[in-house]
Amino acid sequence: MATTLDLTLLYLFAAVIGVVLCRLMKLPPMLGYLAVGVVIGPNALALAKDSAGVQYLAEFGVVFLMFVIGLEFNLPKLQSMRAMVFGLGLLQVLVTIVGTMLGNLMLAEAFAFFGLRWELGWQGALVLGAAMAMSSTAIVVKLMAERLELESEHGRRVVGVLLFQDLAVVPLLVLIPALDGSGSEMAQSLAWAGLKAVLLLTLLLLGGQQIMRRWLTLVARRKSQELFMLNLLLVTLGLAWLTEHAGLSLALGAFIAGMLIAETEYKHQVETDIRPFHDVLLGLFFITIGMRLDWHTLVSQWPLVIILTLAPTAAKFVLVAGLAKLFRAPTGTALRTGLYLAQAGEFGFVLLTLGAQHQLIAPQWVSPVLAAMVLSMLLTPMIMEHSNRIVMKLSASDWLLQSVQLTSIAKRSITTQAHVIICGY
């Protein structure tokens, strides 16, 4: 029987092979991680089992990803993005869930008209809608960072929506187990989870900034790189552990840790130190996502899997692009926002699995839906790679807007005075 060390070494070896092949073919490394996950997973060569130990290790990749995002979005910046996070993000999640439930009701009525029975109830439709509402923070943010798009107009909107999705996971994780209970039990569970979230977040955000600055200053005065790194890991994983045990998510605690450190003068040093952990563990996470793809389902139910991949992806693209346009985004920006958020997300797997555990979704639906979610994530790097071509075809005036933006950047650069240029750092 393989040990956790054996599996970890296998994952690392597969990751190296996948990244090398993708670099040779000039493809995004993320495709390599996902592809080798499919190959070595339990549904293909079965070289690796989806063990809980390695799965939990891979979750640290998402933790460090959210930490890095938190470093980029301090409190003032988050307040300036509130319309994107709590406006566009909230509407995207709510409309996706409500739209899925209405679509399920229409299918049930159509089946009843022909004397047939539709087996998915409103609870199952809510779970599917919640899973569909999630997009992949890990994939999208990493690709946008590689493409230097985090600070672009569409990048800010994408990150705003992703942040709200991560926040929305918390009440959804409480709501789904309560769906098979009474209405009073559901309301009580949600109220208790909301109270804990508000108290903990208020405590961390109000008092945490000063404590974090003083603590890091105290550590930095010891002039030990090892001690500083150990404290970074302790703070990140400690706050992730705290929020998880408070009924929230690991990712939310890591995001708060990043926001608190972003308010200090050690932000850039922290970004440099944490990057190796972030990249390696995130690669392991993508491998575990690829391992979820069952090729038997693809072969036996391929028409259903293709429909479940393309229909939700297209519908989500139209929905997000329309909502972004509603929030006064230019057409090209709205289209890019929709393209970047059209795929399924890692938290969608968690919500779907939780719904299946509570018998809210019939077992025959789980495997094809999971396969479709993984395929949509596999398509994301290619969609983002060709996003400019897609947008140019859908919006002929987008090239003019980009030219204006580049001209304004050039003007600001030319008129800048008394600035410093650092070369060779």
Side-chain angles (χ1 to χ4, degrees):
M1 182 176 178
T3 64
T4 302
L5 178 60
D6 296 334
L7 292 176
T8 303
L9 289 174
L10 175 63
Y11 279 45
L12 292 174
F13 177 75
V16 170
I17 297 298
V19 171
V20 168
L21 291 177
C22 281
R23 288 298 185 190
L24 290 175
M25 293 185 287
K26 297 182 179 180
L27 295 172
M30 195 172 305
L31 280 178
Y33 291 128
L34 293 169
V36 296
V38 174
V39 173
I40 69 173
N43 301 309
L45 297 180
L47 298 176
K49 305 295 182 182
D50 197 5
S51 67
V54 178
Q55 187 74 29
Y56 204 74
L57 180 66
E59 286 183 17
F60 286 167
V62 182
V63 167
F64 285 109
L65 174 70
M66 293 303 296
F67 176 77
V68 172
I69 295 174
L71 285 174
E72 295 294 331
F73 291 90
N74 51 26
L75 283 174
K77 191 170 185 178
L78 192 62
Q79 289 174 355
S80 69
M81 292 177 58
R82 59 185 179 273
M84 300 176 194
V85 178
F86 299 103
L88 180 58
L90 174 63
L91 268 181
Q92 184 267 323
V93 172
L94 287 180
V95 173
T96 304
I97 294 176
V98 172
T100 304
M101 295 180 70
L102 289 176
N104 177 69
L105 182 62
M106 293 171 62
L107 281 173
E109 293 291 335
F111 271 59
F113 179 79
F114 293 102
L116 302 173
R117 184 171 177 268
W118 179 251
E119 297 182 355
L120 188 65
W122 70 268
Q123 296 97 331
L126 193 153
V127 174
L128 281 179
M132 277 186 59
M134 300 297 118
S135 302
S136 178
T137 303
I139 292 178
V140 175
V141 172
K142 182 172 176 60
L143 286 175
M144 283 201 306
E146 291 175 354
R147 292 163 60 90
L148 304 178
E149 294 181 343
L150 284 176
E151 292 297 328
S152 63
E153 285 294 319
H154 61 276
R156 287 166 58 83
R157 286 169 172 80
V158 168
V159 172
V161 173
L162 290 172
L163 286 178
F164 186 84
Q165 289 177 1
D166 292 335
L167 292 173
V169 169
V170 177
L172 289 172
L173 289 174
V174 178
L175 175 63
I176 290 175
L179 286 175
D180 55 358
S182 63
S184 59
E185 291 177 351
M186 189 187 309
Q188 185 178 0
S189 300
L190 285 174
W192 177 236
L195 179 62
K196 287 194 297 183
V198 170
L199 288 176
L200 181 61
L201 294 179
T202 302
L203 181 65
L204 289 174
L205 294 177
L206 290 183
Q209 179 182 340
Q210 292 299 324
I211 295 174
M212 186 68 69
R213 175 176 280 110
R214 291 176 181 176
W215 177 252
L216 289 180
T217 300
L218 183 65
V219 172
R221 285 176 179 169
R222 307 280 76 82
K223 298 181 180 180
S224 170
Q225 184 70 21
E226 293 84 359
L227 184 60
F228 193 78
M229 175 61 71
L230 286 171
N231 276 273
L232 286 184
L233 297 176
L234 176 63
V235 168
T236 306
L237 298 179
L239 285 180
W241 175 86
L242 184 63
T243 52
E244 185 188 38
H245 282 267
L248 307 176
S249 66
L250 285 167
L252 183 59
F255 176 72
I256 294 171
M259 284 182 61
L260 295 178
I261 293 178
E263 299 289 333
T264 70
E265 58 269 33
Y266 303 101
K267 171 187 173 182
H268 299 292
Q269 180 64 40
V270 170
E271 284 180 326
T272 305
D273 290 343
I274 212 72
R275 181 67 61 184
F277 295 94
H278 162 252
D279 291 340
V280 171
L281 293 173
L282 200 57
L284 289 179
F285 171 78
F286 290 134
I287 291 176
T288 61
I289 293 296
M291 289 171 62
R292 294 175 183 268
L293 185 61
D294 187 354
W295 67 272
H296 299 94
T297 301
L298 287 178
V299 173
S300 61
Q301 303 183 54
W302 66 266
L304 177 61
V305 172
I306 291 176
I307 292 173
L308 290 175
T309 302
L310 297 181
T313 301
K316 199 170 175 183
F317 160 64
V318 173
L319 170 65
V320 175
L323 290 175
K325 190 68 177 174
L326 186 65
F327 277 77
R328 301 179 180 178
T331 302
T333 300
L335 290 173
R336 284 185 177 85
T337 305
L339 285 171
Y340 284 25
L341 293 171
Q343 78 291 128
E346 48 273 357
F347 288 122
F349 294 111
V350 178
L351 297 174
L352 187 68
T353 304
L354 189 62
Q357 289 173 353
H358 287 83
Q359 287 82 46
L360 300 175
I361 299 177
Q364 65 266 24
W365 283 102
V366 176
S367 188
V369 171
L370 280 176
M373 291 170 71
V374 174
L375 281 180
S376 73
M377 296 172 77
L378 282 168
L379 289 173
T380 301
M382 289 178 281
I383 292 175
M384 293 179 66
E385 190 74 25
H386 297 91
S387 59
N388 281 333
R389 294 182 184 177
I390 297 172
V391 172
M392 290 291 186
K393 289 184 178 180
L394 297 176
S395 176
S397 61
D398 184 67
W399 67 271
L400 181 61
L401 179 63
Q402 290 191 50
S403 299
V404 172
Q405 290 175 346
L406 289 173
T407 303
S408 64
I409 292 172
K411 283 183 178 179
R412 289 200 302 268
S413 302
I414 292 171
T415 57
T416 301
Q417 295 180 351
H419 59 281
V420 176
I421 300 175
I422 300 176
C423 299
Y425 174 70

